[in-house]
Amino acid sequence: MVQSGRMRAGQGHTYDLVASTVCDGLAFIGLKAVSLRVRVVTSGGAVHIDETHDLVDGSSISSWLDFFTYETVYEPELVFTGLPVFPTDTVEITLDGGGGTASIGEIVLGRQVMLGKVIGGSRSGFTDYTSRNVDDFGNIELITRPTARKAEWRFVFDTRSNRRIQRELEKARGTKCFFHPGDDMTDFYLSVFGVANEFFPSLDAGGNTIDVLSLTGVS
């Protein structure tokens, strides 16, 4: 998928994206909103998709004490796969800030490419660019800087797909993409908006190859 842009909005503001080519994936990264609504409308006015998603993350609430002391936390990402978006279709995006300001860090609209199936042993984390300076007396000065997501996908793929996978990764060189491990792995937080690093798998001629794809996010 390719990068489309970013937005900030007050409560209930709607933005429109007009597709210039066939797209089947839509991702939102860096969300801060109570809810987000997506409609895909054809040039003739027909509605393909009309979905509203609650973005308040209440997964940390496990007791009454948690409930009464809860501070609002938002789902950081929302992904739509298998969308029917054709040229001249309009993607309407409506943010609800719940009375405050809502924002999206990045919007990604494009074509999905299947690389393989992510399996156990994958890693997820972040790089912290905060500066830590220590003077001659041991005093530490911290300068807070952005972080960037990173992940290592351990995944399995049909060895005969290697040429296609290598070709797709080469095409994406120098392009920020959204790497999504699959709808059933959202809670693993393995998705990355960024670039793939060098991929050099050790191929198994017996059928399936298992290897690691390293991903570096953009801050």
Side-chain angles (χ1 to χ4, degrees):
M1 300 180 184
V2 295
Q3 176 185 0
S4 293
R6 54 181 68 195
M7 65 172 67
R8 292 180 62 85
Q11 181 178 4
H13 202 93
T14 298
Y15 287 84
D16 293 343
L17 299 177
V18 179
S20 59
T21 186
V22 176
C23 302
D24 61 0
L26 176 63
F28 301 93
I29 303 103
L31 285 165
K32 185 179 179 181
V34 172
S35 67
L36 183 146
R37 181 185 183 189
V38 171
R39 299 175 77 239
V40 179
V41 184
T42 69
S43 57
V47 178
H48 284 321
I49 296 289
D50 188 347
E51 296 184 11
T52 300
H53 291 260
D54 181 7
L55 299 176
V56 176
D57 181 3
S59 61
S60 63
I61 300 176
S62 60
S63 67
W64 281 108
L65 178 61
D66 293 338
F67 177 81
F68 287 111
T69 59
Y70 174 76
E71 294 184 6
T72 303
V73 176
Y74 302 102
E75 294 284 357
E77 300 170 353
L78 183 62
V79 180
F80 294 83
T81 56
L83 284 179
V85 181
F86 301 98
T88 73
D89 284 356
T90 298
V91 181
E92 298 178 357
I93 303 162
T94 302
L95 289 175
D96 183 355
T101 299
S103 63
I104 299 176
E106 302 285 349
I107 303 173
V108 183
L109 176 65
R111 295 291 297 271
Q112 298 178 93
V113 175
M114 175 63 71
L115 300 179
K117 179 176 177 57
V118 178
I119 59 177
S122 298
R123 303 172 66 187
S124 170
F126 62 90
T127 299
D128 184 2
Y129 294 104
T130 293
S131 174
R132 301 167 179 83
N133 301 315
V134 183
D135 64 20
D136 293 339
F137 301 96
N139 298 309
I140 300 177
E141 179 188 22
L142 299 177
I143 301 175
T144 303
R145 293 176 178 167
T147 62
R149 298 285 310 152
K150 65 178 180 181
E152 290 183 353
W153 282 5
R154 186 169 179 264
F155 74 111
V156 59
F157 60 92
D158 185 335
T159 303
R160 291 170 297 183
S161 299
N162 183 57
R163 179 170 57 181
R164 177 188 61 80
I165 294 171
Q166 298 268 4
R167 184 171 62 241
E168 294 293 348
L169 290 173
E170 288 179 15
K171 282 167 54 179
R173 287 181 306 113
T175 301
K176 291 180 286 185
C177 301
F178 183 70
F179 294 87
H180 181 47
D183 293 340
D184 59 339
M185 301 189 75
T186 300
D187 291 339
F188 287 60
Y189 207 25
L190 284 163
S191 57
V192 171
F193 176 64
V195 296
N197 300 320
E198 185 176 294
F199 182 56
F200 194 56
S202 178
L203 300 177
D204 185 344
N208 291 327
T209 291
I210 297 177
D211 216 290
V212 174
L213 178 64
S214 177
L215 306 171
T216 301
V218 294
S219 58

